[in-house]
Amino acid sequence: MGEFTTTIEHRLDQAYKNLQEARSAGDHYLADTFTAEIEDLRRLATDNGVVPVQR
């Protein structure tokens, strides 16, 4: 696995954890922010030929 792929996967893992925490805390704004980050990271991965793991 290349460095780019590793970085994307790590950032996605962290964003999903942060999203869960925001949802658990009832922070809808923060949850929306992390959802947008996840969408951006997934798009970046796809644009560069990386297939992110489905969660």
Side-chain angles (χ1 to χ4, degrees):
M1 191 178 315
E3 185 175 341
F4 177 78
T5 302
T6 301
T7 300
I8 290 291
E9 289 294 338
H10 175 74
R11 289 185 61 193
L12 277 167
D13 286 342
Q14 192 61 50
Y16 277 108
K17 288 176 189 173
N18 292 339
L19 174 59
Q20 182 59 39
E21 289 174 10
R23 286 179 175 165
S24 294
D27 190 334
H28 301 293
Y29 175 77
L30 194 55
D32 287 345
T33 301
F34 287 120
T35 298
E37 181 181 0
I38 290 166
E39 290 170 356
D40 288 344
L41 287 168
R42 293 184 66 77
R43 184 173 30 260
L44 180 63
T46 300
D47 289 350
N48 286 280
V50 174
V51 181
V53 175
Q54 291 290 338
R55 290 175 180 80

